[in-house]
Amino acid sequence: MPVKGRALQRSRERVVVERDGVRSKGQQDETRDPRAVLALLWGEQEQPTRGPKPKLTPRRIAAAAAELADREGLDAVSMSKVAGGFGVSAMALYRYVPGKTELVELMVEEVMGEGPEMPDGADGGWRAAVCAWTRQCADVYAAHPWLLTATALRRRALGPRQLRWLDAALAALEPTGLDGAQRHRVFLLLIGLVRNVAQQQADHEEEQSAEWDRLAAGLLARHAERFPALTKAIADGAFQPDGIDPLEFGLERILDGVEAVISGRE
């Protein structure tokens, strides 16, 4: 059996039983084989040469799981629930996807689409291109709030769609003259901004926020002398709605910083 086939088979064997998308302690203790995940993401897993034609594909399963997460959240996604949508048992899905961990990786790849639509380089220059990239990335996170959890900042397997986003960001920054390491640092600032704004949106609940604001105002009124800078900022309207888009504000500040770096090198 080829290496990729053995890797996928070992991963399947580790996930013989899964209840509501949670592996047993023994299964959790085993190290996931990254080769199996990469084979799935890149469509390089070994295809069966015998037997009936597969009724499902990893991509179809991932798309169904992503739709479920959009409706009910990532915690609602389990192998059994996704399988139910296809009218099959959870065990039937293991022919295509080893378990929920790998399924989530496929879900992320699925919702990233074919990558951002970038403007012509001559239309607004690098700054316009970076703005277009950032706004489209933010749109993806807004459409799929579970991405925040699924793409927690850790070393992950990346599929071709995710790499296309990274490639587009680095390409947009090439005209700046920054070297590769600097362009990558700017990319990290941009994706950090997108995630920060997405987290703010996910955490915001109008009624609850209003109640917390009311309670906090009362506390600060009683203890204003202990927090003079905060009290002054509040009096100056620091926390009042100002109609400024936090994504646009942060994006402009990051790009101003890039402009400063470019000017400092000239």
Side-chain angles (χ1 to χ4, degrees):
M1 183 182 294
V3 171
K4 285 179 290 191
R6 290 199 302 270
L8 186 55
Q9 181 61 35
R10 284 197 297 271
S11 188
R12 284 175 178 155
E13 291 170 353
R14 290 201 304 270
V15 195
V16 175
V17 177
E18 181 173 296
R19 295 180 180 177
D20 297 326
V22 179
R23 299 178 181 182
S24 68
K25 183 178 185 300
Q27 291 164 332
Q28 290 173 344
D29 289 342
E30 294 192 44
T31 302
R32 178 180 51 159
D33 191 331
R35 292 173 296 181
V37 181
L38 288 171
L40 282 168
L41 289 171
W42 289 81
E44 295 179 346
Q45 70 273 31
E46 184 181 10
Q47 300 297 325
T49 57
R50 297 181 180 180
K53 183 178 180 180
K55 297 179 180 179
L56 298 173
T57 64
R59 183 168 178 177
R60 280 190 65 197
I61 295 169
E67 290 178 3
L68 175 60
D70 289 342
R71 294 193 308 269
E72 304 180 30
L74 190 60
D75 288 344
V77 176
S78 68
M79 294 293 280
S80 59
K81 199 164 185 177
V82 175
F86 290 107
V88 300
S89 69
M91 291 302 296
L93 293 194
Y94 296 139
R95 181 182 183 188
Y96 309 93
V97 181
K100 183 174 177 179
T101 298
E102 293 79 6
L103 177 58
V104 172
E105 300 278 12
L106 288 170
M107 290 164 60
V108 173
E109 181 72 5
E110 179 66 23
V111 301
M112 295 310 292
E114 296 303 323
E117 296 183 8
M118 302 301 290
D120 188 290
D123 185 14
W126 68 267
R127 191 157 178 147
V130 172
C131 285
W133 184 95
T134 306
R135 290 166 186 150
Q136 290 178 68
C137 188
D139 288 342
V140 175
Y141 272 81
H144 309 285
W146 52 269
L147 272 176
L148 279 168
T149 301
T151 58
L153 295 180
R154 58 182 174 81
R155 181 68 67 178
R156 298 183 300 107
L158 296 178
R161 291 184 170 188
Q162 295 171 75
L163 286 181
R164 200 170 292 131
W165 280 86
L166 172 57
D167 184 76
L170 296 177
L173 288 163
E174 280 187 356
T176 63
L178 300 177
D179 62 35
Q182 290 173 316
R183 295 199 304 275
H184 183 246
R185 292 189 193 103
V186 174
F187 160 77
L188 292 177
L189 289 174
L190 295 170
I191 193 63
L193 170 66
V194 168
R195 292 178 61 84
N196 191 324
V197 172
Q199 187 67 66
Q200 292 178 42
Q201 294 172 340
D203 291 343
H204 182 73
E205 203 284 319
E206 195 66 39
E207 290 187 9
Q208 188 178 57
S209 294
E211 178 65 8
W212 276 108
D213 289 347
R214 185 184 66 79
L215 293 172
L219 282 170
L220 285 172
R222 296 193 297 273
H223 302 281
E225 72 284 353
R226 297 176 59 186
F227 309 102
L230 177 58
T231 299
K232 184 178 184 300
I234 292 174
D236 291 340
F239 299 99
Q240 293 299 315
D242 54 16
I244 296 176
D245 185 338
L247 180 74
E248 295 298 324
F249 179 83
L251 179 56
E252 290 300 318
R253 301 297 75 74
I254 289 174
L255 299 186
D256 288 345
V258 174
E259 294 271 16
V261 172
I262 296 172
S263 298
R265 296 171 67 251
E266 293 175 347

